[in-house]
């Protein structure tokens, strides 16, 4: 008997299954969706990048939403991915959607991004809304007030600011606040800025941050007062600043930034904590609730529940 190749049997079975005209296609339920564009520095920084991811994932899971995470190596790559995705979304019927741009660096391309179709909102985090299209919502944590208070509290000795890059709006705001608070109370002490990079890669350079911090610590050995305060404004690179304290112990203190760092080492008296996870959850709740509306421009500082200063109970000045 002639035997047919197995592939022909597979084709026949598919044809038979498709020929049953009595079966109706199963209609899939329409689901709401979140598209999360992470910072180009990625996740795993043990800082607010991770807070954003964790808060978004928890919200999507708790509300049975679809979640797509877009990891881009550069802002240009994210721009291309956004535009391609916007075209696909316009051509396909879906539920309500939110595009979450989770970094201030995306403000540079905001004016080039097309407005998505009806039912899709866009939220840019960590932007004050300047040079951003009117249709795009923004939300940020204000760092000036907490940084001003920090500068005032540590003005009894010189300070060193370890910053990711020059010109980044959020770190510039924090540095300016720190310097203003410091200058209002310091007596002959100085504040010096140090930059890890010229670009956003400075937010993910722990090794360079540790080397720079150690070098500054070493230079203080020849100072009349061999103490200073480090205020790190470098995102994921901040951990390198804290790790440098294992190299030199004579430098008195560093300030925790972004998260509660009071357990990192014995030389952190307090931390400026940015509850980015709570802010993201707050914004997602506003977007998801059909009876409320996500505000186009919002900013939260020390007078909110999203920014606070926490003190270490184990620190001994």
């Amino acid at each position: 008997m002639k035997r047919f190749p197995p592939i022909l049997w597979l084709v026949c079975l598919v044809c038979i299954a498709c020929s049953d005209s009595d079966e109706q296609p199963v209609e899939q339920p329409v689901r709401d969706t979140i598209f999360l564009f992470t910072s180009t520095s990625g996740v795993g920084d043990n800082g607010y990048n991770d807070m954003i991811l964790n808060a978004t994932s928890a919200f999507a899971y708790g509300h049975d939403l679809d979640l797509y995470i877009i990891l881009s190596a550069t802002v240009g790559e994210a721009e291309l991915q956004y535009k391609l995705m916007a075209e696909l979304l316009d051509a396909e019927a879906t539920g309500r959607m939110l595009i979450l741009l989770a970094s201030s660096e995306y403000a540079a391309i905001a004016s080039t991004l097309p407005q998505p179709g009806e039912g899709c909102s866009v939220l840019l985090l960590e932007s004050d809304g300047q040079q951003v299209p009117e249709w795009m919502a923004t939300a940020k944590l204000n760092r000036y007030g907490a940084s001003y208070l920090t500068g005032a509290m540590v003005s009894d000795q010189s300070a060193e600011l370890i910053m990711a890059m020059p010109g980044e709006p959020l770190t510039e705001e924090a540095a300016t606040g720190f310097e203003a608070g410091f200058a209002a109370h310091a007596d002959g002490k100085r504040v010096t800025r140090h930059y890890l990079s010229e670009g956003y890669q400075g937010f993910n350079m722990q090794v360079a941050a540790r080397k720079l911090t150690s070098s500054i610590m070493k230079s203080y050995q020849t100072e009349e007062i061999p103490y200073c305060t480090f205020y790190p404004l470098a995102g994921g690179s901040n951990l390198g600043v804290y790790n440098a304290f294992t190299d030199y112990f004579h430098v008195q203190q560093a300030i925790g930034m972004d998260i509660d760092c009071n357990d990192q080492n014995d030389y952190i008296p307090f931390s400026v904590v940015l509850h980015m996870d709570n802010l993201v959850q707050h914004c997602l709740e506003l977007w998801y609730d059909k009876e409320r509306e996500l505000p186009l421009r919002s900013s939260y500082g020390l007078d909110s529940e999203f920014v606070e200063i926490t003190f270490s109970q184990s620190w001994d000045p």
Side-chain angles (χ1 to χ4, degrees):
M1 184 175 76
K2 187 175 181 180
R3 299 178 62 86
F4 293 99
I7 187 62
L8 292 182
W9 288 109
L10 177 60
V11 172
C12 291
L13 289 173
V14 172
C15 291
I16 292 172
C18 295
S19 66
D20 190 349
S21 59
D22 293 334
E23 292 187 5
Q24 298 296 324
V26 178
E27 186 174 339
Q28 297 295 328
V30 175
R31 296 169 60 86
D32 294 338
T33 307
I34 300 174
F35 298 91
L36 172 62
F37 282 75
T38 69
S39 167
T40 59
S41 60
V43 295
D45 63 345
N46 194 32
Y48 72 82
N49 285 337
D50 285 359
M51 289 185 184
I52 294 172
L53 175 61
N54 294 337
T56 307
S57 301
F59 188 89
Y61 179 81
H63 293 79
D64 195 25
L65 309 178
D66 288 336
L67 172 62
Y68 295 88
I69 301 172
I70 297 93
L71 303 171
S72 304
T74 65
V75 173
E77 182 180 311
E79 181 180 6
L80 292 176
Q81 290 173 328
Y82 177 102
K83 292 179 177 179
L84 177 61
M85 187 180 69
E87 292 180 5
L88 295 174
L89 294 178
D90 288 341
E92 188 175 323
T94 59
R96 297 168 66 235
M97 292 170 289
L98 175 68
I99 299 175
L100 182 57
L101 304 175
S103 173
S104 62
E105 60 193 311
Y106 295 131
I109 61 170
S111 61
T112 70
L113 301 179
Q115 182 176 4
E118 185 178 356
C120 183
S121 302
V122 180
L123 172 62
L124 171 61
L125 294 179
E126 296 295 60
S127 169
D128 58 9
Q130 296 184 17
Q131 300 180 336
V132 172
E134 293 183 359
W135 53 264
M136 183 181 294
T138 63
K140 64 163 292 195
L141 297 178
N142 190 312
R143 293 155 171 78
Y144 186 93
S147 296
Y148 183 99
L149 186 57
T150 297
M153 289 192 293
V154 300
S155 57
D156 59 331
Q157 56 190 27
S158 296
E160 308 289 337
L161 306 187
I162 307 298
M163 303 177 66
M165 58 178 284
E168 201 285 320
L170 299 177
T171 55
E172 287 292 334
E173 177 183 77
T176 302
F178 182 95
E179 290 166 344
F182 189 92
H185 298 84
D187 182 17
K189 307 298 188 303
R190 68 176 188 270
V191 178
T192 306
R193 294 190 183 195
H194 307 270
Y195 297 105
L196 295 173
S197 172
E198 292 297 318
Y200 279 91
Q201 62 267 29
F203 288 97
N204 194 25
M205 297 175 63
Q206 292 186 17
V207 174
R210 180 169 183 167
K211 290 181 178 179
L212 174 59
T213 305
S214 295
S215 174
I216 296 171
M217 289 178 173
K218 186 176 181 180
S219 70
Y220 267 88
Q221 292 179 328
T222 60
E223 295 283 338
E224 181 179 352
I225 302 177
Y227 301 111
C228 73
T229 298
F230 283 91
Y231 193 41
L233 302 171
S237 300
N238 290 353
L239 186 59
V241 176
Y242 308 138
N243 288 340
F245 278 77
T246 62
D247 303 327
Y248 293 90
F249 296 101
H250 70 281
V251 178
Q252 189 175 353
Q253 60 189 8
I255 307 305
M257 187 63 187
D258 293 342
I259 62 173
D260 190 338
C261 303
N262 297 337
D263 61 348
Q264 290 281 353
N265 58 52
D266 295 333
Y267 299 93
I268 297 180
F270 60 89
S271 297
V272 177
V273 182
L274 308 176
H275 294 287
M276 180 57 69
D277 49 350
N278 294 342
L279 174 62
V280 169
Q281 181 179 342
H282 173 71
C283 292
L284 293 177
E285 289 173 350
L286 291 176
W287 164 75
Y288 188 71
D289 189 343
K290 296 179 181 179
E291 296 183 357
R292 295 192 288 176
E293 188 174 345
L294 184 65
L296 285 177
R297 301 290 178 263
S298 56
S299 178
Y300 305 91
L302 265 179
D303 57 344
S304 73
E305 59 185 304
F306 305 125
V307 180
E308 67 172 333
I309 294 178
T310 62
F311 291 86
S312 172
Q313 297 182 0
S314 61
W315 183 65
D316 183 19

